[in-house]
Amino acid sequence: MHSVMEIESLGKKVLSAASTWLFHDLNAIISEPAMIGILGKSGQGKSTLLRILGRLLPPDSGTIRLNKKEMTQWDSCAWRMKVSYVAQQAIMLPGTVEDNLRTVSVLHQRPFDQKLARALCEQLHLEQVDWSKSAEQLSGGEKQRLALIRTLLLQPDVLLLDEVTASLDTASKQAAQQLLVDLHTRTGTTILWVTHDLEEARSSCQRIWFMADHQLQADLPSHSFFQSPPTIQARDFLQSAHAHAAREVHS
């Protein structure tokens, strides 16, 4: 069985001409389809890592392979169909809701799966949204869910999620989490999910990648990471996150 993705000695500098590394010598093998939560303090390069994997930014060192084939050997369009990125800040394309949903079909010259689009809208509580409405008129949470659906219509092998539930209300957040877990279970889609919500990572993800000190410090089963943080930085991160959550509850 081929590994899904291999990351070897990956690095990205803070600036292309600088000597300071945002992260370096990052190594990971996704040997089988998985849901992986990516955790760490702000500024560790989590979002940058996703954009590099999505071929939206070039790395400054290292190699990425998908199905044993190096990224540089892939046509960029073909790569982005296989490895698809959803940003934290949803960007709506000009036109209607339906125009946005059909974008994938137009770009990649494939039939528009209206049935799947309707089903995804229903699962994410957007079934009442008028498809003829301007996408820019949607609320922030609606835009975020529409952006997720737009990417899911690609049916990628690897889904890169950057804080995609952060702007959602509780019901929409739970719906999105359930949809993604069901998607992984049903189709074997690998999901790399940057999140600051520890409960989201704990309940939805099978593995945790923890980034600190310019490196990937841990790649562990979720239960192992949360029960026994492997480094001082991981322990401090979890303690700080728990303390912040407690303050939020009592504020």
Side-chain angles (χ1 to χ4, degrees):
M1 180 178 176
H2 288 296
S3 58
V4 176
M5 182 176 281
E6 301 168 53
I7 304 169
E8 183 179 332
S9 302
L10 194 67
K12 184 66 179 176
K13 294 179 180 179
V14 175
L15 295 172
S16 59
S19 59
T20 302
W21 291 94
L22 181 60
F23 57 81
H24 60 87
D25 295 326
L26 192 153
N27 296 280
I29 296 176
I30 305 174
S31 57
E32 59 185 19
M35 291 190 69
I36 300 171
I38 304 178
L39 303 180
K41 293 180 179 178
S42 297
Q44 295 302 313
K46 303 183 300 295
S47 296
T48 298
L49 172 61
L50 289 193
R51 288 195 287 270
I52 290 172
L53 296 179
R55 206 164 174 172
L56 302 173
L57 282 177
D60 290 315
S61 65
T63 303
I64 303 166
R65 300 182 188 89
L66 179 69
N67 300 329
K68 298 294 185 182
K69 183 178 175 181
E70 289 192 14
M71 177 189 282
T72 53
Q73 297 175 324
W74 285 80
D75 173 77
S76 59
C77 184
W79 179 277
R80 292 188 187 112
M81 284 184 66
K82 294 282 189 180
V83 184
S84 301
Y85 170 77
V86 185
Q88 180 177 1
Q89 299 296 329
I91 297 174
M92 294 291 99
L93 301 172
T96 65
V97 170
E98 183 169 359
D99 290 334
N100 273 261
L101 291 170
R102 287 183 176 272
T103 297
V104 166
S105 301
V106 174
L107 288 177
H108 298 287
Q109 298 180 335
R110 55 196 290 178
F112 175 57
D113 192 337
Q114 184 172 123
K115 183 178 179 181
L116 177 59
R118 293 284 183 190
L120 291 170
C121 285
E122 184 174 350
Q123 287 177 276
L124 291 183
H125 303 166
L126 291 177
E127 66 272 21
Q128 301 302 321
V129 171
D130 182 357
W131 281 20
S132 65
K133 181 178 182 178
S134 169
E136 278 300 329
Q137 293 179 356
L138 298 176
S139 69
E142 288 172 337
K143 288 178 180 178
Q144 188 62 65
R145 283 175 282 164
L146 182 62
L148 177 58
I149 292 168
R150 189 173 60 195
T151 300
L152 289 177
L153 288 171
L154 267 174
Q155 301 182 59
D157 293 343
V158 180
L159 185 60
L160 309 171
L161 305 178
D162 192 359
E163 293 280 359
V164 295
T165 63
S167 64
L168 302 183
D169 60 45
T170 299
S172 297
K173 185 173 187 175
Q174 291 174 346
Q177 290 169 349
Q178 189 61 56
L179 169 63
L180 292 166
V181 170
D182 290 346
L183 174 71
H184 166 71
T185 302
R186 188 178 72 256
T187 67
T189 303
T190 288
I191 298 175
L192 296 178
W193 193 342
V194 170
T195 178
H196 283 95
D197 186 331
L198 295 189
E199 185 52 40
E200 181 172 74
R202 188 200 305 266
S203 62
S204 300
C205 299
Q206 300 148 345
R207 298 192 68 80
I208 297 297
W209 287 1
F210 176 70
M211 297 180 69
D213 288 349
H214 316 294
Q215 294 179 318
L216 179 62
Q217 280 198 350
D219 174 6
L220 292 170
S222 295
H223 62 86
S224 298
F225 178 82
F226 286 106
Q227 290 178 5
S228 301
T231 65
I232 293 173
Q233 292 91 337
R235 184 186 65 212
D236 290 347
F237 170 77
L238 291 179
Q239 288 177 346
S240 176
H242 287 312
H244 177 75
R247 288 195 298 270
E248 288 290 313
V249 169
H250 292 99
S251 63

